[in-house]
Amino acid sequence: MKLYRFLSEDDTSAFCHKVTDALNKGWELHGSPTYAYDAANGIMRCGQSVVKEVEGTYTPDIKLGEQ
């Protein structure tokens, strides 16, 4: 099955670490990163979609971050 996650974080090194961690766990980048201004908090935010092929059958109970 193919899994999908959207990673987001404030525009700090924490975002890069989050994406790097996912890549090192076998996730692959999917599409281009996004960058947007969060007016409610007055900060820039980053986002990146990632996908991963794993064995099994999808259920909504799967904890994507643990895959």
Side-chain angles (χ1 to χ4, degrees), residues 2-60:
K2 183 175 275 192
L3 303 176
Y4 169 88
R5 292 174 66 196
F6 182 75
L7 306 174
S8 64
E9 185 69 53
D10 294 350
D11 183 20
T12 67
S13 63
F15 174 73
C16 295
H17 287 286
K18 186 181 277 191
V19 174
T20 298
D21 182 52
L23 293 174
N24 280 284
K25 290 179 178 174
W27 292 84
E28 297 179 11
L29 299 177
H30 181 74
S32 299
T34 60
Y35 194 63
Y37 183 68
D38 178 350
N41 295 305
I43 55 172
M44 294 301 290
R45 298 208 24 107
C46 301
Q48 175 65 58
S49 297
V50 292
V51 294
K52 184 177 186 180
E53 288 280 344
V54 297
E55 296 292 323
T57 303
Y58 173 76
T59 69

